[in-house]
């Protein structure tokens, strides 16, 4: 099965700084790479995703970059705000396989 | 438009008992997946239902079973509860039968199960 590792497990930044979270996976067949944000007491919410035929995708202050050769992808958040504080999960998967493997999460704290 | 709704939100059960958790998918969605999330960990895939059949299953014992109804809602049943079953149980729904097809997947807020 897929082995997924996220680094770092915790990340603390000052408001306005950038944050980067890296996800490493083992299954070279994975071709869909989403990131989820989970706030306290809520379910995960998809914030950005990328497919294997694309190297980078950006949506306002967040971006995802993919290195399929090295089998890792990263979440980039610029101009961080206190409301970005949450747990972030990566969940690489094979499209249409019907299941995904989540990392153990990265707790991001943005200090005002 | 209601999103994914789950019930109950919290419950406490005794070891050995059985529990049923319920999920209503987002309007227009036909696929439901269940996840178990232990404290401090990422969600772990239990199984997925589409067209009232279990389509995929993760590494969970057959004490975990489910059902999908014609209206696409779903139930998760856990028999012979163990202390280690204490976790947040999440339901996720998506449109069409293909998980991760690029359609946005929506999670409910989960059901907190405590086994004592």
């Amino acid at each position: 099965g897929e082995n997924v590792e996220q680094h770092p497990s915790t990340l603390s930044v000052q408001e306005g700084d950038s944050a980067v979270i890296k996800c490493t996976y083992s299954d070279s067949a994975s071709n869909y790479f989403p990131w989820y944000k989970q706030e306290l007491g809520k379910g995960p919410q998809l914030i950005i995703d990328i497919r294997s035929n694309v190297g980078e995708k950006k949506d306002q202050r967040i971006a995802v970059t993919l290195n399929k050769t090295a089998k890792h992808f990263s979440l980039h958040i610029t101009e961080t705000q206190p409301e970005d504080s949450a747990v972030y999960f990566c969940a690489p998967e094979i499209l249409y396989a019907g299941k995904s493997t989540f990392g153990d999460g990265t707790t991001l704290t943005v200090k005002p | 438009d209601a999103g994914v709704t789950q019930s109950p939100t919290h419950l406490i059960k005794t070891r050995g008992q059985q529990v049923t958790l319920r999920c209503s998918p987002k309007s227009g969605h036909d696929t439901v997946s269940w996840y178990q999330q232990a404290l401090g960990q990422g969600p772990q895939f239990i199984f997925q239902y589409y067209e009232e059949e279990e389509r995929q299953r993760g590494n969970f014992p057959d004490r975990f079973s489910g059902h999908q109804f014609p209206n696409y809602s779903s139930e998760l049943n856990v028999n012979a509860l163990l202390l280690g079953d204490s976790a947040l149980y999440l339901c996720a729904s998506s449109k069409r039968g293909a998980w991760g097809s690029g359609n946005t997947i929506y999670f409910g807020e989960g059901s907190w199960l405590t086994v004592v």
Side-chain angles (χ1 to χ4, degrees):
Chain A
E2 175 89 276
N3 288 320
V4 179
E5 291 187 2
Q6 278 184 239
H7 293 283
S9 56
T10 60
L11 180 58
S12 182
V13 300
Q14 281 300 131
E15 182 177 0
D17 286 351
S18 295
V20 181
I21 304 169
K22 184 177 179 179
C23 181
T24 304
Y25 60 96
S26 62
D27 190 347
S28 57
S30 293
N31 55 10
Y32 176 65
F33 307 95
W35 284 97
Y36 293 87
K37 176 184 181 182
Q38 187 173 26
E39 296 175 324
L40 205 60
K42 296 188 177 181
Q45 178 185 15
L46 179 70
I47 56 171
I48 196 165
D49 58 7
I50 196 170
R51 297 199 187 193
S52 58
N53 58 345
V54 178
E56 181 174 355
K57 183 177 177 181
K58 190 173 180 181
D59 182 5
Q60 299 182 345
R61 294 188 298 109
I62 61 172
V64 54
T65 58
L66 171 65
N67 185 328
K68 273 219 84 179
T69 304
K71 290 189 279 188
H72 65 74
F73 61 111
S74 297
L75 174 68
H76 304 255
I77 305 174
T78 59
E79 300 172 23
T80 54
Q81 300 167 4
E83 51 264 39
D84 294 329
S85 296
V87 182
Y88 292 82
F89 294 98
C90 63
E93 64 177 90
I94 301 169
L95 271 176
Y96 311 117
K99 59 183 176 181
S100 55
T101 303
F102 280 72
D104 278 340
T106 296
T107 301
L108 174 64
T109 304
V110 181
K111 295 180 283 188
Chain B
D1 175 26
V4 179
T5 57
Q6 293 187 241
S7 64
T9 54
H10 296 81
L11 70 167
I12 301 173
K13 289 287 187 177
T14 303
R15 195 169 40 181
Q17 284 188 316
Q18 178 263 347
V19 68
T20 297
L21 307 178
R22 296 175 176 82
C23 172
S24 292
K26 181 177 170 61
S27 179
H29 284 188
D30 56 11
T31 301
V32 172
S33 297
W34 287 92
Y35 284 80
Q36 179 194 66
Q37 186 175 22
L39 207 58
Q41 295 183 17
Q44 281 195 294
F45 177 78
I46 303 175
F47 42 53
Q48 181 188 76
Y49 277 84
Y50 172 63
E51 290 185 335
E52 303 178 47
E53 288 190 17
E54 183 182 295
R55 300 292 177 169
Q56 288 285 344
R57 189 177 183 92
N59 189 25
F60 278 80
D62 56 12
R63 297 188 297 110
F64 290 77
S65 63
H67 190 77
Q68 185 179 34
F69 299 94
N71 67 351
Y72 309 119
S73 67
S74 178
E75 288 182 351
L76 164 66
N77 300 294
V78 187
N79 294 323
L81 284 167
L82 304 173
L83 297 179
D85 295 331
S86 296
L88 176 67
Y89 288 85
L90 293 162
C91 171
S93 76
S94 58
K95 194 176 178 183
R96 304 183 210 162
W99 176 265
S101 66
N103 294 320
T104 300
I105 296 131
Y106 289 84
F107 280 85
E109 296 196 345
S111 295
W112 283 100
L113 170 65
T114 302
V115 182
V116 298

